Amino acid sequence: MSLTRDDMLNELELLPVWQQRNVSKPAENQVIPQTATEHAFVIEATPPIKSVEAMPALVVEESSIETAVAATENLITEEPGSEKTLTYDRPATIMKMDWSSLQACVPECTACSLAATRIQTVFGVGDPNADWLIIGEAPGAEEDRKGEPFVGQAGKLLDNMLAAIQLKRGSNVYIANVLKCRPPENRDPHGEEVLQCDPFLKRQVELIKPKLILALGKFAAQSLLASDNTIASMRGKLHDYHGVPVIVTYHPAYLLRNLPDKAKAWEDLCMARKTMANLQSGELPPSI
């Protein structure tokens, strides 16, 4: 017996499905079968969700981010409408240095053009706890080569001047200059050079804590006292440099060229010796 097409579909139990290919919307509770592909897509798209308690690391991280953002907002809103720029305050940094740091800093200085022409810097020499501080203007050629202030003929004369009032280089005496580098051809220092070296000298004075400063020469006196007065008008008086008494006299190099003025320099040294005696006995206030 031959089977018709409908008989074959009916035997395979396909005829009802085949006949309902254009079925309308299923009933509300009817379950529509899904293919394997559809089941796989649903599994991949809906991973299990963990609770907040199951992720403590994530909670800490989010809290840190919020803290950092809040700190940044405070920094930005501290000065509304202004741009903040980090600047290096060189004088303030120098004024916080100890003696060894200051000694190490000076040879590395390139703050002015003298760094390009010097052989070496001249920090100073002597007792860093001295009562006497001797300040000249700048290193000369010989000082530039040796790295020590007041050498050569001017240095010998200075040693003789100190010996005349019972002092000795290195014993209760410290010797320094306004500038730590030699100006080319021994010219007068420029204003910018003095400005850049001034923090070094100020810090030396603060660390040494001298009882008396002896300023040698017009330039040293004018720089220390911020004055344009002549050395003749500044001699014979007590001046002040940041609370330390200052006495002005002639530079030894000048005295080598002007021998008659040695008598005036001797008067200044006698005044300095008397002033120091008064300071040590407490008869003279430590600041002028």
Side-chain angles (χ1 to χ4, degrees), residues 170-186:
S171 179
N172 202 27
V173 174
Y174 194 88
I175 303 173
N177 284 311
V178 172
L179 293 191
K180 308 305 180 190
C181 299
R182 178 201 178 199
E185 305 300 324
N186 291 341

